[in-house]
Amino acid sequence: MSRIAYVNGQYVPHSRAFVHIEDRGYQFADGVYEVFAVHHGRLIGQQGHLDRLAHSLAALQIDWPMGKRPFMVAVNEVVRRNHVTNGLVYIQITRGVARRDHGFPAQCESALVITARKMPALHKPTLSKGINIITIPDIRWKRKDIKSISLLPNCLGKQQAREAGAFEAWMYNEQDEITEGTSSNAWIVTADGELVTRDVSHSILNGITRLAVLEAAAAAGLTFSERAFSRQEAAEAKEAFITSSTSHVKAVTRIDDAPVGNGHIGEMTARLLDLYVAYIEEKGGPVKTDRWS
Amino acid sequence: MSRIAYVNGQYVPHSRAFVHIEDRGYQFADGVYEVFAVHHGRLIGQQGHLDRLAHSLAALQIDWPMGKRPFMVAVNEVVRRNHVTNGLVYIQITRGVARRDHGFPAQCESALVITARKMPALHKPTLSKGINIITIPDIRWKRKDIKSISLLPNCLGKQQAREAGAFEAWMYNEQDEITEGTSSNAWIVTADGELVTRDVSHSILNGITRLAVLEAAAAAGLTFSERAFSRQEAAEAKEAFITSSTSHVKAVTRIDDAPVGNGHIGEMTARLLDLYVAYIEEKGGPVKTDRWS
């Protein structure tokens, strides 16, 4: 059965899903996106994704392509037409089609593309197995809080990780602090047992899964710190993991070719994975989603 | 008469020029571009654009979509089919279409789009009239030497200029040095009479027009410095101008709402505009085009 995509008002076969060459997303990366996880038939973190999308659009002065209600109807319709019970929905909004010119066009209708795809259901043993990561310089622009499609450095970083036999790359800034992964947030349990993830600013994208894990941890009475942590702290960490809509809570067991702790998923990571799954199954995602930078 | 675009092997009406939604240019800004000026029926700086394109493609490990000879045949054919005597050719190459995933796909054919458009012929009085510019923080990534389509910050900067009633924005880094304009190189004649444009590194895109002006100046026995200059030096400059394939040599007569010199095009700028036009009409563009970063 062929996949169906939503493209500017129409549901079309994926193979015939096209946009104009002068869509500003294609020529200028002038657009934003969101990826929702679908977990057992349910969209996870719906309010969070909508609020973050609103933040990204406002930061770039791009109009919503339609009201939020019909927008969510379209999102759900793409999920339905693609029979996705476990997987993801990808949403991209660009400023639209206009004659090429860097400044914003006087008149332009925002373009909307929605796709969905099946993926294996969340599987704790797989997430617990542990991945390798490398650390690389963060060469991105200064507005990482905007979930823009300007993802070239992220692609280069992910590719660098792959070529090094790693699943992900953590990026470090000029102060030698870890900012985040190329498509995930970075977490450690320090040598002293402190659960840490970087605080929200223009330096990172505030993940919906990050927020859900923080809420789940708080609800369970766990303490954590939202603060910058250094490459050195990461190298000496007892535990490490990444979070994202598609990686959920995924154990990191090697950083730059050295084992993290005993080289297996840590206790805190395993607990947070359990808490996270229970939390999203109960709440559907994070509840407080009002601060993006 | 409708415009014709070249899209992945076909010449199509501009209105029906489409790319797939999973072209990595659309989802990741994973591509590069070039803009050639067409001046009195001639492509300007052909070798320079080709060499720089090769640099950008190599930096991103993107394959040429075809050999350079058929590539130039297609470029010239688009110019011909659009009857462009004065104007520009726009060329975009992306990594191609693949299922969305940050890392590079194992197999992928580079995508190629070429468009051309008529513009008014180079007109010295218009270029001499003088434009306003503003200065803004440079928030871009660290590989500005790659002419990538990851242009979102450039668009935001150009728009900021427009909203301030200016034609262009010059960006300054954390050391308060001017790097370049959002779509042009920046030049000044200092209070002491030194002709200055920033030296080539990862901090700027080495413009083909920049190179032609440097060569024209050298050929005329003028001295110049390729070095970083500060916002302060720009504010105190006797003359200022920008260069780009579409702006040629364009006088800057106001910076951040203060006049440059006497508020009219400077002597050196006027001379360089003359020298540049004579140089490209004789040589077709810069001759030495081997250093891009």
Side-chain angles (χ1 to χ4, degrees):
Chain A
M1 198 166 38
S2 85
R3 288 172 64 196
I4 299 295
Y6 174 98
V7 182
N8 295 320
Q10 297 200 296
Y11 296 91
V12 296
H14 187 80
S15 59
R16 289 194 275 125
F18 291 99
V19 291
H20 195 262
I21 56 168
E22 287 197 324
D23 184 305
R24 290 176 60 96
Y26 196 56
Q27 297 193 319
F28 290 122
D30 191 7
V32 301
Y33 74 107
E34 286 290 335
V35 180
F36 291 60
V38 184
H39 178 65
H40 299 339
R42 184 180 191 185
L43 282 179
I44 300 302
Q46 182 171 316
Q47 194 56 48
H49 287 290
L50 282 174
D51 288 351
R52 189 171 62 185
L53 187 53
H55 167 75
S56 297
L57 290 170
L60 301 182
Q61 299 175 54
I62 296 177
D63 293 331
W64 281 87
M66 58 177 73
K68 287 184 197 173
R69 196 168 301 188
F71 175 81
M72 284 312 304
V73 169
V75 169
N76 282 297
E77 183 62 14
V78 173
V79 173
R80 193 187 68 75
R81 291 200 186 203
N82 288 281
H83 310 281
V84 175
T85 306
N86 289 287
L88 60 84
V89 192
Y90 174 81
I91 292 151
Q92 176 166 343
I93 299 174
T94 70
R95 200 178 305 277
V97 176
R99 195 174 83 165
R100 189 175 185 280
D101 181 10
H102 288 65
F104 304 164
Q107 288 205 322
C108 207
E109 278 183 34
S110 303
L112 171 60
V113 168
I114 309 171
T115 59
R117 152 155 102 79
K118 294 177 188 178
M119 290 178 72
L122 187 157
H123 185 241
K124 287 184 186 174
T126 303
L127 297 171
S128 303
K129 212 179 142 219
I131 55 167
N132 298 348
I133 63 151
I134 58 170
T135 59
I136 62 173
D138 193 338
I139 61 169
R140 297 175 300 162
W141 74 324
K142 297 195 178 164
R143 289 299 304 273
K144 295 123 189 166
D145 59 303
I146 300 171
K147 198 167 171 76
S148 86
I149 52 173
S150 196
L151 290 169
L152 182 53
N154 303 62
C155 291
L156 297 176
K158 186 74 90 180
Q159 179 63 18
Q160 206 179 327
R162 296 262 169 89
E163 289 175 8
F167 180 87
E168 176 62 300
W170 283 4
M171 295 176 280
Y172 56 86
N173 65 17
E174 279 156 13
Q175 290 74 50
D176 242 19
E177 299 161 353
I178 301 294
T179 53
E180 59 187 331
T182 67
S183 65
S184 60
N185 287 120
W187 301 67
I188 57 169
V189 177
T190 65
D192 297 337
E194 183 190 8
L195 173 62
V196 186
T197 193
R198 195 177 172 94
D199 53 316
V200 177
S201 69
H202 286 180
S203 296
I204 68 164
L205 186 80
N206 192 354
I208 305 305
T209 308
R210 174 188 180 280
L211 286 171
V213 171
L214 288 176
E215 288 186 9
L222 298 176
T223 56
F224 53 81
S225 303
E226 288 181 86
R227 65 165 176 84
F229 61 91
S230 68
R231 264 177 106 191
Q232 188 62 30
E233 280 182 287
E236 293 166 358
K238 278 209 300 214
E239 302 186 28
F241 59 98
I242 61 171
T243 55
S244 81
S245 289
T246 52
S247 282
H248 312 289
V249 172
K250 193 171 230 164
V252 171
T253 48
R254 287 187 86 82
I255 299 180
D256 287 332
D257 255 338
V260 177
N262 63 6
H264 297 281
I265 182 172
E267 268 176 52
M268 174 68 88
T269 305
R271 182 151 182 223
L272 287 169
L273 171 55
D274 286 338
L275 289 171
Y276 167 72
V277 175
Y279 196 80
I280 60 166
E281 289 181 350
E282 186 194 336
K283 306 272 187 188
V287 176
K288 288 183 221 148
T289 60
D290 54 355
R291 203 168 68 80
W292 301 105
S293 62
Chain B
M1 197 167 36
S2 86
R3 289 173 65 197
I4 300 294
Y6 173 97
V7 182
N8 295 320
Q10 297 199 294
Y11 297 91
V12 296
H14 187 81
S15 60
R16 288 194 275 124
F18 292 99
V19 291
H20 194 261
I21 56 169
E22 287 196 325
D23 184 304
R24 289 175 60 96
Y26 196 56
Q27 296 193 320
F28 290 122
D30 191 7
V32 302
Y33 75 106
E34 285 290 335
V35 180
F36 290 60
V38 185
H39 178 64
H40 299 337
R42 185 180 190 185
L43 282 179
I44 300 302
Q46 182 171 317
Q47 195 56 49
H49 287 290
L50 281 174
D51 289 351
R52 188 171 62 184
L53 187 52
H55 167 75
S56 298
L57 290 170
L60 302 182
Q61 300 175 52
I62 295 177
D63 293 331
W64 281 87
M66 58 177 73
K68 286 183 197 173
R69 196 169 301 187
F71 175 80
M72 284 312 304
V73 169
V75 169
N76 282 297
E77 183 63 14
V78 173
V79 172
R80 194 187 68 77
R81 291 200 187 204
N82 288 282
H83 309 280
V84 175
T85 306
N86 289 286
L88 61 85
V89 192
Y90 174 81
I91 292 150
Q92 176 166 344
I93 299 174
T94 69
R95 199 178 305 276
V97 176
R99 195 174 83 165
R100 189 176 184 281
D101 181 10
H102 288 67
F104 303 165
Q107 288 205 320
C108 206
E109 278 183 33
S110 304
L112 172 60
V113 168
I114 309 171
T115 59
R117 154 155 100 79
K118 294 177 188 178
M119 290 178 71
L122 187 157
H123 186 241
K124 286 184 188 175
T126 303
L127 297 171
S128 303
K129 213 179 141 219
I131 55 167
N132 299 347
I133 63 151
I134 58 169
T135 58
I136 61 173
D138 193 339
I139 61 169
R140 298 174 300 161
W141 74 324
K142 296 194 178 164
R143 288 302 303 274
K144 295 121 188 165
D145 58 304
I146 302 172
K147 198 166 170 76
S148 85
I149 53 173
S150 197
L151 290 169
L152 181 54
N154 304 62
C155 292
L156 297 176
K158 186 75 90 180
Q159 179 63 18
Q160 206 179 327
R162 296 263 169 89
E163 289 174 8
F167 179 87
E168 177 61 300
W170 283 4
M171 295 176 280
Y172 56 87
N173 64 17
E174 279 157 13
Q175 290 74 49
D176 243 19
E177 299 162 353
I178 301 293
T179 53
E180 59 187 330
T182 67
S183 65
S184 60
N185 286 121
W187 301 67
I188 57 169
V189 177
T190 66
D192 297 337
E194 182 189 9
L195 174 62
V196 186
T197 193
R198 195 178 173 93
D199 53 316
V200 176
S201 69
H202 286 181
S203 296
I204 68 164
L205 186 79
N206 191 355
I208 305 304
T209 308
R210 174 189 180 281
L211 285 170
V213 171
L214 288 176
E215 289 186 9
L222 298 176
T223 55
F224 52 81
S225 302
E226 289 180 85
R227 65 165 176 86
F229 61 91
S230 68
R231 265 178 104 190
Q232 188 62 29
E233 280 182 286
E236 293 166 358
K238 277 208 301 214
E239 303 186 26
F241 59 97
I242 61 171
T243 56
S244 81
S245 290
T246 51
S247 282
H248 313 289
V249 173
K250 194 171 231 165
V252 170
T253 47
R254 289 187 85 82
I255 299 179
D256 286 332
D257 255 337
V260 178
N262 64 6
H264 297 282
I265 183 172
E267 268 176 52
M268 174 68 88
T269 305
R271 183 152 180 223
L272 287 169
L273 171 56
D274 286 338
L275 289 170
Y276 166 74
V277 175
Y279 196 80
I280 60 166
E281 289 181 351
E282 186 195 336
K283 306 273 186 185
V287 176
K288 288 183 221 148
T289 60
D290 55 353
R291 204 168 66 81
W292 301 106
S293 63

